[in-house]
Amino acid sequence: MDVDEFRKAAKAAIDQIADYHESVPSRRVLADVEPGYLRPLLPASAPLDPEPFEAIAADVHAKIMPGITHWSSPGFMAFFACTSSYPAAIAEMWSNAFNGAHFNWICSPAVTELEAVVMDWLAEMVALPPCFLTRAPSLGGGVIHGSASEALLTVMVAARDRFLAAKTAHLPDGADEKEDETCRLRGRLVALGSAGAHSSTKKAAQVLGVRFATVPVDEDHGFAMQGPDLARTLDDLAARGLEPFYLTATLGTTDVCAVDDFPGIIDALAPRVGTPADVWVHVDAAYAGSALVLDENKPLAAPVAHFHSFNFNPHKWLLTTFDCSALWVRSRADLVSSLSIKPPYLRNQMSDDGLVTDYRDWQIPLGRRFRSLKLWFVLRAYGVSGLQAHVRRGVVLAESLEAKLRSRPDLFSIFTPARFALVTLRVRARDEATVNARTEQLYDAINAGGAFYLTSTVIGAKFAIRVSTSVAAVRDEHVDKLFGLLVEGAEKIIKAGEE
């Protein structure tokens, strides 16, 4: 394909993509295909000779499109949103045009420097404490990763090495005694998260070969981790001779958008601060962190000054195309000391003189995409006020759905109230087993209808339906339609059970 063919094909693709976006509301949300549907539709091997681009584009519509679940649909109220926008899509085109691995400043200075700027912009937008800014005296700063799971694994690596270094600092470097003690401690390390923490904490512990322990949560506290429960868990681990070195605290859990008890966590860990037993606290705000753009939520960020790292995903609720996961650390040295390797082929004068940031030392991979460009486009195209309006609309829609559900106490109970554009519900019944059965039956019926896609959760043996109204296209009429289907389905299920 030469440049003239590229111009023609690319312009046609833009029109087709725009047509697709316009058609999304009329499409079934969830892909209606069977496992393995695609292989029989495609050749057994790659073509020997080039094929016309028109034929490739046609197959996108005929063969790929049926297997797509439409995350931008107003009927997509599952999981959490994975939002995009036209400014982000255009930025992706430019990012692709500037294709490169971008691991050092010298590879493309603008790639590194724009990332530092927009991460400071974003930190200030969500009211992160100043210690997380690139220009902070603490030498903190932000970096863009591919996902919250990747960011969490990265900081857990830094937390492990920081903890081991502190615990063995009294021993001489290079001595067998130090290596032996390090190995002994490695076998006793424990990463912590609440019972409501995302599974990425357990997965990261599994990858690092350390133990994982959970802090219990309960319904009385909205399934948020409490300081006293953390303190009891720490005491139990100490009694077993184990070494907790890392904790995930969550702002907006996956199940119900609970916010952990940050002040209580600070109190529980206070005796360890400044000692070799200091526990690294990472705040996972992957979804709900976007809600900190709203003034009423900004106070939630203040306690983060006591913690070590913070992460949220603009690609979830802030109109930025996947992948774009924003991670900040209070001390960049913790990442660099764990992840920096300098073979001769990566050396250059700017890096050697310490004049620049090399983000390869802030992540596990070497290469990296120009992700900051799309964030820059989005922040400029919408402004803070536009992003606030977008987030607030999702919040208000969930509150509206909660009010509608509460208007039918004969049919529904609210499992957890609307928070950060998420509400969870159950169907009424005389006993828990019937509540679970009816709720799951309603859940299955809604998804089978094709107009909406919802997800569920089970906490403490209680099955609940999750409804997230954070997708940009969701409006009042979609919430009204969903509520109507919920009522219709619940009435049918209850009636059938009483006959």
Side-chain angles (χ1 to χ4, degrees):
M1 178 180 285
D2 61 26
V3 68
D4 291 328
E5 292 171 325
F6 169 68
R7 290 179 189 275
K8 179 181 177 182
K11 289 174 182 176
I14 290 294
D15 286 338
Q16 292 171 14
I17 292 169
D19 291 343
Y20 162 70
H21 280 298
E22 289 185 330
S23 74
V24 164
S26 64
R27 294 178 182 268
R28 177 185 173 89
V29 184
L30 194 62
D32 190 18
V33 296
E34 296 297 323
Y37 91 97
L38 186 59
R39 185 172 290 277
L41 301 179
L42 299 178
S45 57
L48 177 63
D49 298 313
E51 295 185 14
F53 197 79
E54 291 78 5
I56 301 171
D59 278 352
V60 169
H61 293 277
K63 299 172 182 177
I64 303 301
M65 194 73 77
I68 295 296
T69 292
H70 305 289
W71 286 63
S72 60
S73 169
F76 187 97
M77 299 185 184
F79 305 113
F80 292 120
C82 188
T83 55
S84 182
S85 62
Y86 295 126
I90 293 170
E92 283 281 20
M93 295 169 63
W94 276 109
S95 180
N96 289 336
F98 298 141
N99 187 49
H102 307 307
F103 42 79
N104 281 350
W105 177 90
I106 198 68
C107 292
S108 280
V111 175
T112 293
E113 297 195 11
L114 183 63
E115 187 157 338
V117 170
V118 298
M119 288 299 286
D120 279 355
W121 285 6
L122 194 58
E124 291 173 336
M125 278 178 56
V126 299
L128 276 188
C131 58
F132 290 96
L133 298 177
T134 304
R135 56 186 182 272
S138 63
L139 297 179
V143 59
I144 301 176
H145 284 218
S147 70
S149 299
E150 178 188 333
L152 192 150
L153 174 60
T154 302
V155 297
M156 192 182 287
V157 169
R160 178 199 61 189
D161 292 353
R162 176 178 175 270
F163 185 87
L164 291 173
K167 280 282 190 172
T168 60
H170 62 289
L171 299 173
D173 291 337
D176 289 344
E177 184 183 3
K178 184 161 190 167
E179 184 175 351
D180 290 345
E181 178 62 7
T182 299
C183 291
R184 187 190 71 82
L185 288 168
R186 279 179 179 271
R188 289 168 167 74
L189 294 179
V190 182
L192 291 166
S194 80
H198 190 269
S199 59
S200 55
T201 299
K202 184 176 183 179
K203 185 173 184 177
Q206 181 176 315
V207 170
L208 293 186
V210 300
R211 303 180 196 222
F212 172 70
T214 57
V215 179
V217 296
D218 59 69
E219 190 169 355
D220 290 342
H221 292 101
F223 305 106
M225 177 169 58
Q226 301 298 300
D229 293 320
L230 172 60
R232 282 190 289 273
T233 302
L234 292 170
D235 289 343
D236 177 64
L237 293 171
R240 296 163 55 196
L242 299 175
E243 300 277 3
F245 75 102
Y246 169 93
L247 170 70
T248 293
T250 309
L251 194 159
T253 59
T254 302
D255 291 317
V256 297
C257 264
V259 177
D260 287 341
D261 172 23
F262 290 173
I265 292 169
I266 293 168
D267 290 343
L269 295 175
R272 295 170 173 264
V273 174
T275 76
D278 191 17
V279 173
W280 181 298
V281 182
H282 172 68
V283 178
D284 176 12
Y287 164 70
S290 295
L292 298 179
V293 301
L294 301 179
D295 291 342
E296 61 266 32
N297 293 329
K298 291 186 188 301
L300 292 172
V304 179
H306 295 270
F307 303 146
H308 301 80
S309 53
F310 179 93
N311 167 249
F312 87 96
N313 294 343
H315 66 235
K316 277 194 166 68
W317 199 3
L318 221 54
L319 301 175
T320 305
T321 311
F322 186 88
D323 54 352
C324 183
S325 184
L327 168 69
W328 289 269
V329 290
R330 202 170 63 195
S331 170
R332 70 187 74 167
D334 292 324
L335 291 181
V336 175
S337 63
S338 287
L339 302 169
S340 179
I341 295 179
K342 297 181 178 179
Y345 57 81
L346 292 179
R347 297 189 63 179
N348 63 85
Q349 195 62 50
M350 293 296 183
S351 298
D352 289 349
D353 290 346
L355 300 175
V356 298
T357 295
D358 285 334
Y359 280 122
R360 64 181 173 82
D361 295 332
W362 297 41
Q363 61 179 34
I364 293 171
L366 173 62
R368 54 202 328 274
R369 301 177 62 235
F370 194 179
R371 297 187 184 100
S372 61
L373 194 66
K374 58 190 173 187
L375 192 53
W376 187 54
F377 269 52
V378 168
L379 295 179
R380 295 184 64 187
Y382 287 92
V384 176
S385 62
L387 294 173
Q388 287 175 327
H390 160 66
V391 171
R392 189 175 300 284
R393 180 168 58 241
V395 170
V396 170
L397 288 170
E399 292 171 348
S400 170
L401 178 59
E402 180 189 343
K404 294 177 190 300
L405 293 166
R406 289 190 185 280
S407 74
R408 294 300 307 267
D410 55 319
L411 300 178
F412 306 110
S413 63
I414 300 299
F415 187 53
T416 56
R419 190 170 197 184
F420 306 132
L422 177 74
V423 61
T424 64
L425 64 126
R426 308 179 80 205
V427 180
R428 292 279 189 185
R430 292 183 302 275
D431 57 82
E432 277 297 323
T434 308
V435 170
N436 280 346
R438 287 179 175 179
T439 305
E440 188 167 4
Q441 191 176 349
L442 178 61
Y443 166 74
D444 290 338
I446 294 294
N447 283 344
F452 293 91
Y453 177 36
L454 309 178
T455 46
S456 62
T457 189
V458 178
I459 308 179
K462 294 183 178 182
F463 185 99
I465 297 172
R466 301 169 69 263
V467 182
S468 175
T469 56
S470 50
V471 168
V474 179
R475 296 293 184 272
D476 287 327
E477 58 265 31
H478 306 117
V479 171
D480 291 343
K481 182 178 179 180
L482 174 63
F483 177 66
L485 291 173
L486 289 169
V487 168
E488 180 184 346
E491 288 178 337
K492 197 175 296 184
I493 290 166
I494 292 174
K495 182 178 180 181
E498 293 173 347
E499 290 178 349

